Every structure is written in structure tokens, then in C-alpha cells.
Amino acid sequence: MSKRENFLRKFRDEKTNELNKISATDFMEIWNHYDADGNGFIEGKELDKFLSELCNSVHKSDIDAVPESFLKQFRETVLDAYDENEDGKISVQELAEILPTEENFIFIFRRENFLESSNFMKIWLEFDQDKSGYIEIDELRNFISKLFESHMENKIEITEEKLNDYTQSILKIFDKNSDGKLQLSEMIKLINPNENNYLKLVVNSFSLIKKDQLDEIFSTYDKDGNQQLHDEEIDALAKDLIDIVNKDYIAEDFQMFKKGLLKLGDVNHDGIISKQELYLILTAFTSKNLHDLSM
């Protein structure tokens, strides 16, 4: 048995040993503690540490009393229940469901709030009101406020104090470069955290793309089923491709990357990507091509 300070124990009630209701500030503190590398996920050894401390925090002692065999089973149970995209790691949104988080704060992360993830550029353009290329704190506060206002039928009420608290906590979770505002890659982590792991697998294999692979990738982005990618569908494709090579980008970087994609694959210059043109894009994506497009 190993001995170490258990970070989660302070969030349990001393009498009942139950986890207390996790406030926005508590959640921010917990997230930043376990997402040690700041990549936007709790995974690998970070996840092992979180689950171990979650189990062992029940005990008053700093001795790890829960056997490894149980922890392994517990990990599988948690991932089965909460890892929606089955990527073997926990996102901010998934952690908010695991912990007894304050209900209104959890609401911010609910997937149904954002319709299709391909709409992320529409959301960005709406709330980057000064067109600075960043979501400043007042714009983030407006975004969160509008989120609650759009669900008034659920009778969700939020005080000014809570709104400010939520805004500050969200900023501290997602503002990885600590500049007091959210750039595009940081905002996407809030509104669209899922990665297309299948696309990443195909692109990184650097092998000939098979027809069934092309069909599956194309259908993922062709949301309206009209056999061509346009507008938000191209945005979604560009977002998943740039995420493979560059996790840290601003709106200008994204637009340049998207322009590079169209230059690479939009043969007839109609601003639309057919399945054949997608094939050109994916087959051209050697490691050098990826590097050049991400600049």
C-alpha cells in the first residue's frame, strides 16, 4: 500500500464521507489538478490517478487501501458509463457528469446545447462581437448568459454572481495560455470537444485510402446527405484535420488552413468538396503537407 496526499478528500463531507456538491470553482480546481499536461483531457496516468484518489478518498488515511484489481474494474466501469466517444479518456464535459457537479454548471456542458458540432464557426462569429479573433471575458459571459436564456422553458435561473463565477471558472479551465481570453482552439474545446479518431487513424497511417474508409469519412461530414461538403461541413472537416497537427491555433490560423485545404482539393473551385476531391485531400496529406498547411 502506498501513502500520498489525496487531493479529492477535501471535497468529501467529514461526517457522511459523501462527495459534497461540486461548485464551479471546485470543478475548475479539480480539472486543472488532474489535467496535468493541459491537453484538455484526463487520460493515461492522469486518469489512473484521478480514479485511484476518487476511490481512496473515502478513507480517512492517506494509505491507498483499494486494490489494483478493483481499480482496473472501476476504470472500465467509468469509461463504459461516461466516455461517450469511447476514446479512453475523460473530457471536461464527461468529468462534469462523473462528479456531483452543481446542476446549472453542468448545464453549460450539455451536448444538446450546441446542435451539430459543425456549427462551431457560427457560434464563434456570433460571440466574437468585436471581430478581434478572440472571445474576451465579457463575450464569454454573454455566451454563457445566452445559453441559459435559450433554455428558459427549463426554468433555469442564474444570478449575476453565479454568472460571473461560471465565466471565471470556464475561462480558467479552457484558457490554456493564460492570456485572459479564448482563442478558437480553446473555445472549440468547450463547444466541440470530440475528436474524429477514425480520421486521425486513416491520415496517420500514410497508406492507400480504401473505398470503405473514404465512404465512412465522407458520410461523417456530409450531414445533409447531398453527396458534397459545403459551408459548416467543410469547417468541421478542417477543424478535425488541423487538430491532428496543431492543437493551438487562432481564428486566422484556421481560416488559412481551410483555404489551403480548398486549394489542395477543390479542383473546380466551386467552394464545395465532392467525395473524389476529399480523396485528393486525404491522399495528399503526407506529414510534410500537414506541416505546411498548419503554418
Side-chain angles (χ1 to χ4, degrees):
M1 293 184 181
S2 60
K3 183 176 180 179
R4 62 184 176 189
E5 183 179 356
N6 190 304
F7 182 77
L8 287 176
R9 187 171 293 118
K10 64 182 178 181
F11 298 102
R12 288 191 180 274
D13 185 279
E14 292 185 0
K15 294 182 179 179
T16 66
N17 240 3
E18 296 288 329
L19 281 169
N20 295 316
K21 184 68 72 174
I22 303 298
S23 69
T25 303
D26 294 336
F27 185 87
M28 176 270 296
E29 186 180 352
I30 292 169
W31 175 263
N32 286 336
H33 178 79
Y34 290 104
D35 180 24
D37 60 6
N39 74 338
F41 296 96
I42 296 175
E43 58 184 328
K45 292 182 179 179
E46 297 170 342
L47 182 56
D48 290 339
K49 181 181 179 182
F50 167 70
L51 295 176
S52 174
E53 294 193 0
L54 182 61
C55 289
N56 284 294
S57 63
V58 175
H59 306 284
K60 301 293 185 182
S61 169
D62 282 331
I63 299 295
D64 289 348
V66 179
E68 288 297 323
S69 57
F70 176 84
L71 287 174
K72 182 178 180 181
Q73 182 179 356
F74 183 56
R75 179 189 177 113
E76 292 175 358
T77 301
V78 169
L79 289 176
D80 284 344
Y82 297 101
D83 183 20
E84 293 184 10
N85 60 346
E86 300 180 349
D87 59 0
K89 48 193 178 184
I90 298 299
S91 68
V92 174
Q93 289 78 0
E94 290 162 347
L95 183 66
E97 297 291 343
I98 293 172
L99 296 174
T101 311
E102 185 181 330
E103 187 63 29
N104 281 352
F105 190 62
I106 291 181
F107 172 79
I108 297 172
F109 301 118
R110 293 276 158 80
R111 296 297 304 145
E112 58 266 26
N113 290 335
F114 305 116
L115 305 175
E116 293 291 346
S117 61
S118 58
N119 288 334
F120 71 90
M121 282 306 294
K122 280 187 174 180
I123 296 173
W124 175 267
L125 293 172
E126 178 182 354
F127 289 96
D128 179 22
Q129 294 174 341
D130 61 3
K131 308 306 175 190
S132 66
Y134 297 90
I135 301 294
E136 280 93 2
I137 190 166
D138 58 327
E139 294 169 333
L140 179 60
R141 186 179 184 279
N142 187 35
F143 166 75
I144 295 172
S145 178
K146 288 287 181 64
L147 205 56
F148 284 101
E149 287 176 12
S150 66
H151 288 75
M152 288 300 289
E153 70 276 9
N154 295 333
K155 297 182 179 179
I156 296 177
E157 296 183 4
I158 180 171
T159 64
E160 288 297 311
E161 182 181 1
K162 282 293 184 182
L163 181 58
N164 290 332
D165 185 26
Y166 293 169
T167 302
Q168 289 289 348
S169 296
I170 291 292
L171 187 64
K172 289 177 181 177
I173 290 171
F174 292 97
D175 179 23
K176 292 306 178 183
N177 60 1
S178 302
D179 61 357
K181 53 192 175 184
L182 296 184
Q183 62 189 42
L184 181 57
S185 59
E186 294 166 340
M187 187 68 173
I188 283 175
K189 286 293 185 183
L190 170 59
I191 64 178
N192 179 26
N194 293 334
E195 299 176 313
N196 189 332
N197 292 312
Y198 185 73
L199 176 68
K200 184 187 296 184
L201 178 67
V202 171
V203 168
N204 286 340
S205 69
F206 300 120
S207 57
L208 186 65
I209 298 172
K210 300 176 182 177
K211 183 180 183 301
D212 60 332
Q213 293 175 322
L214 179 64
D215 289 343
E216 181 169 344
I217 293 172
F218 188 83
S219 65
T220 297
Y221 298 102
D222 182 21
K223 297 296 184 182
D224 58 12
N226 70 347
Q227 296 303 304
Q228 57 186 18
L229 305 185
H230 55 88
D231 302 323
E232 293 95 343
E233 296 170 342
I234 295 177
D235 285 340
L237 172 66
K239 174 263 174 188
D240 286 338
L241 285 173
I242 195 173
D243 276 348
I244 294 174
V245 294
N246 186 1
K247 297 291 186 182
D248 183 24
Y249 51 88
I250 62 176
E252 185 180 355
D253 297 331
F254 177 80
Q255 294 298 347
M256 288 178 62
F257 184 86
K258 179 182 170 183
K259 186 181 293 186
L261 276 187
L262 290 171
K263 184 178 180 180
L264 184 65
D266 184 17
V267 178
N268 59 357
H269 308 294
D270 60 357
I272 293 171
I273 295 177
S274 66
K275 187 181 293 187
Q276 291 74 22
E277 289 172 331
L278 178 62
Y279 180 80
L280 291 177
I281 290 172
L282 296 180
T283 53
F285 259 43
T286 63
S287 58
K288 181 177 186 302
N289 291 135
L290 283 169
H291 176 74
D292 288 346
L293 277 171
S294 66
M295 295 298 287

